[in-house]
Amino acid sequence: MKLRWIVSAPPTVIWAAALGLAGCSAFGPERNPPQVVLPAHYAAPTTVGHPAASTAENPAPRLVEGAPPVPRWWSAYRCPQLDALVEEALEHSPSLAAARSNLRAAHEQLRSQIGQNALPALDAGVDTSRQRALEFPGLPQESFLYNVFAADVQASYTFDFFGAALLADRALSHQVEQQAFELDAVRRALAANVVLATIDAASLEAQLEAAQRLADAAERRAAQSAARSSLGSASREERLTSEADAASATAQLPPLRARLLAVRHAQAVLLGRTPDQAPEPPPLEALHLPSEIPVAVASELLHQRPDILAAEAAVRAAADAAGAATASMFPSLTLSASYGRGGFDWSTFTSPAGAIWSAGALLTQPLFHGGALAARRRQYQASYEAAVNQYRQTVLAAFQNVADTLVALETDGETLALTRRATVAAAGIRQDLEARHGLGSAPLFTALGARQQSESANLQLIRAQEAQLADSANLFQAMGQPAAAPDERGPLASAAH
């Protein structure tokens, strides 16, 4: 049910009265995101000791606390091929292009809604028709035909005293801002995935080469054991053990090849290519571990991670939507006016007698809608509470992500140091036994066994290097990026505030 008052008066009087009454009151819950408890340290404390992660032979990246994040952080690996791959993905990725188009569509939707709510509507109409109407009973003529000519310009504007339309516009503006941050998250995730795929492909290429050398050494050792067994200088058990070792070493090759091709295919899709056009991976030695990685303090992380910023925009959007639902339960005033010409023939239409105009004011107060307005208000209030809790969860997940990555990077340094130590020892044993074999003081069987151990240790070293490179990339990704200026976030981003 609605109460309506229609007032006929000159348009200037109505507009002046409306401007004097115009005002706006905001409704809704708190628009700022809730306060969260900031951790003093990202990771949980531990009393278990660990060896040094950084040595002269194994320099680990230095974590710079409080340093600003690096926008083009992939350049820290000093690999031009990696830089080119990331730039190609950012330019040609279909998923990123779709996200950009969706954001542009959201901007245009916001422009449309703001233009509809904030500015008067002006329309022009022309109506020409021929009509047949019934005459009054009792008259000789039962019906008659006549023409209608009319043309007018209509204007209307709704004064939103309590801010329902304003809050709705602001809620949509924050939704656009949220989508912009989500686009930034997609862009950063795309770059990180390209970096991780490149590291993975380079590592798998190196692992495949090391595994091939390991399999060759194992096959030669198995053949030598078989020859010794046929001469009676080696037992059947020794021959079968060597055969099993060779088969096990060779069996590692097909899965490694399949993994390498799968990673390269995925990387090609990230770049916007077909899988058969996958790029060749760079050598693992061409990817240099960054010397420094910025680590933001917890309070700054809240303003750098795009997922947190998107959740914050979602809280503001939900608060404004709840306020708009409340404000829609209060009165609104719509002013309308029209001016034109009309008549039943062209002569009347063009004469001074054909001038027609109207002006009116419509004051609307919702009274009863079957509980729909109250239910809608409760709906948006519940959505706001969900957005607040989702913001808290996003912040906690971000802290966990950083903590896990820091622990992983520290563990990678320790693992790499120990793996390199084992690799150096195995290489020394191999070198000594091969030298002794060359002098005739050690059998070939023993030298081949030392070669197997050396290649196996080298395989573990490659995997440890890959883990450290990948976790350093994950830490760069976890830090987010510097906050953009309002005009860099989108043409209507400032409207959200």
Side-chain angles (χ1 to χ4, degrees), residues 377-436:
R377 180 176 179 273
R378 293 192 298 269
Q379 170 196 347
Y380 282 103
Q381 181 65 34
S383 298
Y384 167 77
E385 295 170 0
V388 168
N389 287 311
Q390 184 60 46
Y391 173 82
R392 291 194 178 100
Q393 182 62 36
T394 302
V395 172
L396 292 176
F399 289 159
Q400 179 189 1
N401 177 218
V402 175
D404 291 346
T405 309
L406 287 172
V407 172
L409 192 59
E410 181 182 17
T411 305
D412 292 338
E414 299 169 6
T415 303
L416 184 59
L418 296 174
T419 306
R420 180 171 279 115
R421 178 182 173 186
T423 304
V424 171
I429 294 174
R430 172 185 175 178
Q431 184 178 5
D432 291 345
L433 287 177
E434 288 181 346
R436 290 174 58 193

Side-chain angles (χ1 to χ4, degrees), residues 264-350:
R264 293 183 60 192
H265 294 165
Q267 185 183 36
V269 173
L270 291 174
L271 300 177
R273 305 184 188 181
T274 56
D276 60 310
Q277 299 296 323
E280 289 290 334
L284 188 61
E285 298 77 15
L287 297 167
H288 304 282
L289 190 68
S291 58
E292 294 182 352
I293 300 179
V295 178
V297 296
S299 59
E300 291 298 326
L301 190 70
L302 300 180
H303 307 294
Q304 295 175 180
R305 296 253 314 197
D307 54 344
I308 296 178
L309 295 173
E312 180 179 337
V315 170
R316 292 196 172 99
D320 288 334
T326 302
S328 65
M329 303 172 70
F330 290 85
S332 64
L333 175 65
T334 300
L335 302 183
S336 61
S338 66
Y339 179 82
R341 308 192 69 82
F344 295 104
D345 52 51
W346 282 111
S347 60
T348 306
F349 179 85
T350 56

Side-chain angles (χ1 to χ4, degrees), residues 18 20 23 29 36 61 66 91 112 137 162 174-175 188 253 269 308 314 334 417 432 439 443-444 485:
V36 294
E91 184 176 356
S112 173
F162 297 92
H174 284 302
Q175 292 175 11
R188 290 184 57 78
L253 299 178
V269 173
I308 296 178
T334 300
D432 291 345
L439 297 174
L444 177 61

Side-chain angles (χ1 to χ4, degrees), residues 89-321:
L90 294 178
E91 184 176 356
H92 299 292
S93 170
S95 60
L96 186 59
R100 290 195 186 102
S101 298
N102 288 333
L103 180 59
R104 288 199 303 271
H107 277 303
E108 296 305 325
Q109 180 186 2
L110 177 58
R111 287 190 177 95
S112 173
Q113 181 169 307
I114 291 178
Q116 184 176 4
N117 292 339
L119 300 176
L122 185 64
D123 299 291
V126 177
D127 179 21
T128 60
S129 63
R130 181 170 177 81
Q131 302 182 18
R132 180 177 184 273
L134 298 178
E135 185 55 84
F136 288 105
L139 296 180
Q141 186 176 354
E142 296 183 355
S143 63
F144 63 92
L145 298 175
Y146 64 94
N147 300 321
V148 175
F149 304 92
D152 64 351
V153 177
Q154 304 171 3
S156 64
Y157 182 74
T158 299
F159 285 91
D160 188 27
F161 292 133
F162 297 92
L166 174 63
L167 290 170
D169 292 343
R170 200 162 66 180
L172 183 57
S173 178
H174 284 302
Q175 292 175 11
V176 174
E177 186 181 30
Q178 177 186 358
Q179 194 164 342
F181 287 127
E182 290 173 351
L183 169 63
D184 185 61
V186 170
R187 183 186 68 83
R188 290 184 57 78
L190 175 64
N193 288 336
V194 172
V195 173
L196 292 173
T198 303
I199 294 172
D200 198 7
S203 171
L204 287 171
E205 189 84 23
Q207 289 181 50
L208 190 58
E209 294 175 1
Q212 184 66 62
R213 294 192 299 268
L214 174 61
D216 292 342
E219 293 290 352
R220 287 189 60 190
R221 192 165 186 259
Q224 207 263 346
S225 296
R228 289 174 58 221
S229 176
S230 64
L231 296 175
S233 60
S235 64
R236 180 174 181 273
E237 180 182 358
E238 186 177 351
R239 176 178 64 83
L240 293 177
T241 300
S242 298
E243 183 68 25
D245 289 344
S248 178
T250 307
Q252 296 184 42
L253 299 178
L256 281 176
R257 292 194 190 99
R259 283 183 55 197
L260 175 59
L261 290 176
V263 169
R264 293 183 60 192
H265 294 165
Q267 185 183 36
V269 173
L270 291 174
L271 300 177
R273 305 184 188 181
T274 56
D276 60 310
Q277 299 296 323
E280 289 290 334
L284 188 61
E285 298 77 15
L287 297 167
H288 304 282
L289 190 68
S291 58
E292 294 182 352
I293 300 179
V295 178
V297 296
S299 59
E300 291 298 326
L301 190 70
L302 300 180
H303 307 294
Q304 295 175 180
R305 296 253 314 197
D307 54 344
I308 296 178
L309 295 173
E312 180 179 337
V315 170
R316 292 196 172 99
D320 288 334

